């Protein structure tokens, strides 16, 4: 099925590295879902140590983990603060004792211990020191650790000149993004309330009292001044719980400028994504004023339900996360167009679980029901079809890398072309698959799967990173002209 002359696999793979760890809060007993919390007992035992023992043990911990993490003592101090309410108020602890308690309530988590897969690729914000024919690219990665928890990591590569790629070093300690004050959007709250079918006097009052952009303090101030007549209504408490849940889904994280892109980890920060942030599809947009901004969509998973999320960043250092709303946002795999088309914000989606469709963002910030673009109709994609990242603009049309699922849940990558001005019109389709798992790629954590979350165009080539059986990342390049020539026009 695969035309080998179109896609050239590059001699480079990325394998999961279990040495890449972050520090997480550890509370004995809670991870095992025991009825009784063991934190107080642990703190009581630590308090029995004398200062000499505390100093010696802390020195051993710092020596053992030095160089593996950014600001190790700062993380321990933060974790101490999270459990400090369990220390009797009359006890005055030394700085060393507080730090040691923080160490006991910490543990390392290997973010790639299980798998590394499903990359997307965009131009890096820093193109300094590039030679002719080179492009620095930023690669997002789905990294999977213990408990199948997914987070978003990054890598950097140099593309070109010609069909060559070089990965930059991924060494060094990792850091989870630090929560910073988010500026919430009123239109997001309105969209969330519409999705929840929540329309009453309390919700209307809150929407009217908040500015277009507001922070957490302004939000709490409005809720704190809700009129007593509304507070006494039987539906108000439920309404306020829904409002809080909607607002808390949106947040922001940032990294110090001294922490390189390859060391940054976007880690689950809300209950809705507690079991993973899956399959981020990054895309670069150039705004009318020439400024660059990056968007991404990903799937938040809490262990039972999924939800669409959007990431916005200008520098891949400060990230704002917002929820996606509307009928088309209720499944996996949304991919944003890199610019408005005819004044419309568009995205690819698979809201019915099996059909690749086109959706538009309405004035209420909700993604509307999708218009079908591609249906399962060939032997290798009869189970479902979807996108492999955001559309890429070419002179011939919007190039869309697709995926199809066939017998034995085997994933392969295909391609199609959409009209530039009317993307709901399919111009051409690749009759056979572009890439399918070879004998080595078919083995892994999830066998028989090739999947990508997006590539980019550079120097006449389409560069495609892809996950192979959810255990490693491979790379391929395709001459754009040859790919377009291989497509078959669609008869309307």
């Amino acid at each position: 099925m695969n035309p080998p002359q179109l896609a050239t696999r590059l001699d480079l793979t990325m394998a999961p590295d279990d040495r890449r760890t972050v520090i997480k809060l550890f509370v004995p007993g809670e991870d095992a879902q025991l009825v009784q919390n063991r934190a107080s007992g642990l703190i009581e035992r630590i308090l029995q140590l004398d200062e000499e023992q505390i100093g010696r043990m802390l020195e051993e911990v710092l020596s053992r983990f030095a160089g593996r993490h950014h600001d190790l003592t700062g993380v321990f101090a933060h974790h101490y603060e999270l459990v400090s309410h369990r220390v009797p108020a009359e006890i005055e602890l030394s700085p060393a004792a507080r730090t040691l308690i923080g160490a006991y309530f910490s543990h390392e988590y290997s973010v790639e211990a299980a798998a590394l897969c499903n990359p997307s690729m965009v131009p890096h914000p820093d193109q300094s020191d590039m030679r002719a024919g080179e492009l620095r690219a930023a690669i997002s990665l789905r990294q999977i650790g213990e408990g199948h928890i997914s987070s978003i990591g990054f890598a950097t590569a140099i593309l070109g000149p010609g069909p060559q790629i070089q990965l930059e070093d991924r060494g060094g300690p990792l850091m989870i993004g630090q929560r910073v004050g988010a500026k919430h959007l009123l239109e997001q709250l309105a969209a969330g309330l519409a999705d929840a079918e929540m329309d009453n006097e309390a919700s209307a009052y809150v929407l009217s009292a908040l500015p277009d952009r507001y922070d957490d303090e302004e939000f709490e101030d409005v809720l704190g001044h809700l009129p007593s007549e509304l507070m006494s209504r039987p539906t108000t408490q439920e309404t306020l719980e829904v409002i809080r849940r909607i607002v808390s889904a949106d947040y922001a994280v940032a990294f110090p400028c001294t922490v390189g892109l390859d060391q940054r980890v976007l880690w689950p920060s809300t209950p809705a994504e507690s079991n993973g942030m899956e399959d981020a599809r990054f895309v670069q947009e150039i705004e009318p004023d020439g400024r660059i901004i990056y968007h991404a969509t990903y799937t938040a998973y809490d262990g039972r339900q999924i939800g669409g999320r959007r990431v916005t960043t200008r520098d891949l250092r400060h990230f704002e996360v917002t929820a996606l709303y509307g009928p088309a946002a209720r499944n996996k795999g949304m991919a944003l167009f890199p610019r408005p088309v005819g004044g419309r914000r568009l995205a690819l989606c698979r809201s019915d679980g099996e059909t690749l469709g086109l959706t538009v963002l309405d004035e209420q910030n909700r993604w509307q029901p999708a218009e079908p673009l591609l249906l399962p109709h060939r032997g290798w994609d009869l189970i479902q079809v979807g996108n492999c990242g955001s559309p890429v603009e070419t002179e011939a049309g919007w190039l869309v890398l697709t995926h199809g699922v066939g017998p034995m849940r085997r994933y392969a990558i295909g391609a199609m072309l959409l009209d530039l001005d009317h993307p709901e019109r399919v111009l051409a389709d690749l009759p056979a698959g572009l890439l399918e798992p070879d004998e080595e790629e078919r083995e892994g954590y999830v066998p028989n799967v090739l999947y990508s979350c997006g590539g980019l165009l550079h120097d006449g080539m389409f560069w495609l990173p892809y996950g192979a059986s959810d255990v490693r990342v491979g790379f391929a390049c395709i001459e754009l002209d040859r790919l377009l020539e291989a497509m078959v026009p669609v008869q309307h």
Side-chain angles (χ1 to χ4, degrees):
M1 121 185 180
N2 177 35
Q5 72 277 11
L6 290 182
T8 301
R9 284 175 168 84
L10 302 173
D11 187 20
L12 177 68
T13 58
M14 295 178 63
D17 184 349
D18 54 18
R19 296 171 300 176
R20 292 174 63 82
T21 61
V22 295
I23 306 179
K24 290 176 55 184
L25 177 69
F26 170 66
V27 181
E30 284 194 354
D31 290 349
Q33 297 182 339
L34 299 180
V35 175
Q36 183 176 359
N37 184 288
R38 292 159 43 195
S40 294
L42 172 58
I43 288 178
E44 288 178 7
R45 292 192 291 273
I46 298 172
L47 294 179
Q48 300 303 312
L49 302 173
D50 59 37
E51 282 301 317
E52 181 181 351
Q53 291 174 302
I54 288 172
R56 184 175 65 254
M57 294 179 66
L58 179 59
E59 184 178 347
E60 290 175 356
V61 171
L62 296 178
S63 175
R64 184 173 295 123
F65 292 92
R68 291 174 63 91
H69 302 282
H70 291 278
D71 192 17
L72 187 61
T73 56
V75 175
F76 290 164
H78 175 61
H79 287 176
Y80 168 77
E81 291 299 325
L82 296 178
V83 299
S84 60
H85 54 274
R86 293 187 178 273
V87 177
E90 68 275 10
I91 296 180
E92 182 69 28
L93 294 176
S94 67
R98 293 194 293 268
T99 305
L100 184 62
I101 290 174
Y104 272 101
F105 283 89
S106 302
H107 75 129
E108 285 192 327
Y109 181 90
S110 177
V111 296
E112 299 176 12
L116 186 70
C117 57
N118 301 356
S120 72
M121 181 186 286
V122 292
H124 196 288
D126 178 13
Q127 294 298 325
S128 61
D129 302 323
M130 291 294 95
R131 299 176 299 175
E134 291 183 336
L135 176 77
R136 180 175 287 116
I139 304 170
S140 71
L141 300 158
R142 179 182 176 184
Q143 43 197 23
I144 307 173
E146 177 189 355
H148 199 82
I149 297 177
S150 299
S151 56
I152 300 172
F154 298 95
T156 304
I158 306 297
L159 311 181
Q164 60 179 333
I165 181 172
Q166 178 183 346
L167 283 175
E168 295 190 349
D169 179 44
R170 296 181 72 218
L174 303 184
M175 173 178 278
I176 293 173
Q178 302 168 338
R179 289 288 290 262
V180 294
K183 275 289 188 179
H184 304 285
L185 297 174
L186 184 65
E187 61 183 14
Q188 280 289 109
L189 176 56
L193 288 169
D195 253 27
E197 298 182 346
M198 186 72 67
D199 181 17
N200 54 44
E201 292 312 306
S203 64
Y205 174 88
V206 172
L207 288 174
S208 67
L210 286 169
D212 290 341
R213 289 184 68 89
Y214 57 94
D215 58 25
D216 291 333
E217 184 177 350
E218 292 170 307
F219 173 69
E220 293 297 338
D221 183 64
V222 167
L223 264 58
H225 287 86
L226 198 71
S228 58
E229 294 87 348
L230 296 181
M231 286 295 296
S232 63
R233 296 179 69 84
T235 59
T236 295
Q237 288 306 315
E238 179 187 359
T239 299
L240 294 181
E241 290 176 6
V242 171
I243 290 174
R244 287 188 180 278
R245 185 173 69 248
I246 293 170
V247 172
S248 66
D250 299 343
Y251 64 92
V253 298
F255 297 85
C257 60
T258 54
V259 176
L261 177 63
D262 303 348
Q263 300 172 344
R264 301 169 194 169
V265 174
L266 297 180
W267 182 261
S269 294
T270 66
E273 58 193 26
S274 56
N275 269 60
M277 305 165 71
E278 302 179 357
D279 301 342
R281 289 160 160 81
F282 274 82
V283 63
Q284 182 194 71
E285 178 180 352
I286 300 177
E287 297 182 308
D289 61 3
R291 291 195 301 167
I292 290 175
I293 190 168
Y294 300 89
H295 305 289
T297 54
Y298 69 89
T299 301
Y301 180 52
D302 68 0
R304 298 186 307 275
Q305 296 179 321
I306 61 171
R309 295 293 185 270
R310 175 175 178 156
V311 179
T312 301
T313 176
R314 290 197 178 276
D315 54 9
L316 300 180
R317 191 173 70 84
H318 181 278
F319 299 84
E320 295 183 355
V321 177
T322 55
L324 298 173
Y325 296 109
R330 295 170 186 161
N331 206 297
K332 292 186 172 186
M334 284 193 70
L336 303 170
F337 277 64
R339 65 170 175 84
V341 180
R344 301 177 298 167
R345 284 287 180 181
L346 304 175
L348 301 173
C349 67
R350 196 181 65 216
S351 52
D352 67 353
E354 62 183 23
T355 303
L356 178 59
L358 181 73
T359 178
V360 61
L361 188 68
D362 68 13
E363 294 180 353
Q364 283 73 47
N365 209 41
R366 302 177 73 234
W367 292 99
Q368 291 305 293
E371 180 173 344
L373 293 175
L374 180 65
L375 304 174
H377 67 288
R378 297 161 293 201
W380 61 277
D381 69 6
L382 286 181
I383 292 179
Q384 69 190 48
V385 293
N387 69 74
C388 274
S390 292
V392 176
E393 187 169 5
T394 74
E395 293 183 357
W398 294 104
L399 175 62
V400 176
L401 271 290
T402 64
H403 70 264
V405 185
M408 291 295 289
R409 196 176 174 265
R410 185 174 186 265
Y411 278 65
I413 295 175
M416 63 190 301
L417 194 68
L418 309 179
D419 187 274
L420 278 180
D421 298 320
H422 302 281
E424 60 275 8
R425 182 170 179 262
V426 180
L427 298 180
D429 188 19
L430 194 65
L434 180 64
L435 271 179
E436 61 181 18
D438 63 21
E439 287 306 303
E440 180 179 355
E441 292 167 342
R442 67 179 299 184
E443 309 294 352
Y445 190 49
V446 183
N448 306 304
V449 174
L450 281 196
Y451 192 87
S452 177
C453 289
L456 57 78
L457 279 178
H458 170 60
D459 200 21
M461 293 274 193
F462 186 82
W463 300 78
L464 180 66
Y466 60 90
S469 296
D470 278 15
V471 73
R472 67 187 71 85
V473 172
F475 297 87
C477 64
I478 307 130
E479 291 185 22
L480 177 62
D481 289 344
R482 297 181 67 183
L483 175 57
L484 296 176
E485 290 171 1
M487 290 191 180
V488 175
V490 172
Q491 302 299 321
H492 294 279

